[in-house]
Amino acid sequence: MSIWSRISEALAALRKGESLASVFERLRTPPERSVAFTIAVIALSAKMAKADGQVTRSEVAAFREVFHIAPEDEPGAARVFNLARTDVAGYRDYASRIADMFGEDKTVLCDLMEGLFHIAIADGNYHPKEDAFLSDVARIFDLPDHRFRAIRSRYVPGEDPDPYSILGVDPDTPMDEIRRAWRGLVRDSHPDRMVARGLPEEAVKMSEKRLVAINRAWEEISGKHAA
């Protein structure tokens, strides 16, 4: 059964008048978490689209880069998007339930934020309202500030990606600790680890850009110390 069929089953289980946000309380463990992750990205993307007032073709194309949607599955994906967009529940309610669902697993929440950033900057314009939206979602997720800034620096045009922020360390951190941080981030970005965290396989390729930035940051820092 495809992930989109499982999403359709999750939506069918909603009682009449029940908010889409209710599904996050029912999809807490693998393999259901991959369904929850996909719904979470779609739902928060829909809420983010309302933040800047429009959904562009570029954003739709970016979403298709994160999730490969077969023609027969498009109605299901569109239904999730429209349910979230028209739901009276606000994005803070969605974000709070998503945070509760994934608990202390901040790595998954960072994965989710990367998907949202990928969609937000797809049209080449990072709107101030999108920034406010994503910053607020990160606060609700209780993400450390350096992790949020690291994600934003990798995606937003014009941001100066500080290598220390990308690795989540300070400039005066000992090199052996920086090396451990780098190796830990590389390990967490391995496809097998991402699938184990409950990400759908379609979303795993988001780690490619992350790995490039992580390794570039390490090379820059280690190069300074070697000089």
Side-chain angles (χ1 to χ4, degrees):
M1 181 183 295
S2 74
I3 191 170
W4 298 102
S5 297
R6 288 154 57 203
I7 286 173
S8 295
E9 285 188 353
L11 297 182
L14 289 173
R15 294 185 293 274
K16 185 176 181 179
E18 192 172 20
S19 168
L20 175 62
S22 300
V23 302
F24 300 124
E25 297 177 4
R26 305 170 184 169
L27 303 171
R28 292 178 175 271
T29 57
E32 288 80 7
R33 288 215 320 179
S34 62
V35 175
F37 182 92
T38 305
I39 293 176
V41 174
I42 300 173
L44 286 177
S45 295
K47 294 297 187 184
M48 184 169 62
K50 292 184 68 173
D52 70 357
Q54 60 183 342
V55 181
T56 68
R57 289 176 180 265
S58 297
E59 288 170 334
V60 173
F63 183 81
R64 290 178 179 276
E65 289 178 9
V66 178
F67 300 106
H68 297 295
I69 309 174
E72 63 270 20
D73 294 321
E74 289 182 358
R79 186 185 175 203
V80 176
F81 190 92
N82 289 325
L83 279 173
R85 187 174 56 181
T86 59
D87 194 349
V88 294
Y91 75 87
R92 290 187 176 91
D93 184 21
Y94 276 55
S96 294
R97 295 192 189 214
I98 291 166
D100 288 342
M101 176 182 61
F102 289 115
E104 295 301 314
D105 195 345
K106 302 304 181 188
T107 306
V108 173
L109 295 175
C110 286
D111 293 330
L112 201 159
M113 290 296 302
E114 290 202 7
L116 294 176
F117 266 104
H118 184 84
I119 294 167
I121 59 90
D123 58 0
N125 179 33
Y126 187 55
H127 196 281
K129 290 184 178 179
E130 291 175 323
D131 184 64
F133 176 93
L134 292 172
S135 297
D136 197 26
V137 168
R139 283 192 292 271
I140 295 170
F141 285 174
D142 196 26
L143 294 182
D145 186 58
H146 73 267
R147 297 189 76 171
F148 177 72
R149 285 188 285 107
I151 296 170
R152 182 165 57 187
S153 71
R154 293 201 300 271
Y155 283 90
V156 178
E159 289 282 311
D160 183 19
D162 172 57
Y164 296 97
S165 294
I166 288 175
L167 298 186
V169 297
D170 296 320
D172 57 355
T173 302
M175 275 301 294
D176 59 338
E177 292 184 23
I178 296 177
R179 183 180 290 105
R180 280 198 296 272
W182 164 63
R183 287 176 174 170
L185 290 170
V186 170
R187 185 172 57 250
D188 286 341
S189 299
H190 190 281
D192 290 345
R193 287 275 183 132
M194 297 183 74
V195 172
R197 290 200 295 271
L199 272 70
E201 292 184 7
E202 295 94 332
V204 171
K205 67 177 183 177
M206 287 190 296
S207 67
E208 295 174 2
K209 178 180 284 190
R210 180 196 312 162
L211 270 174
V212 169
I214 289 169
N215 287 324
R216 183 180 294 136
W218 166 249
E219 290 171 3
E220 183 176 343
I221 293 171
S222 60
K224 288 179 181 177
H225 284 261

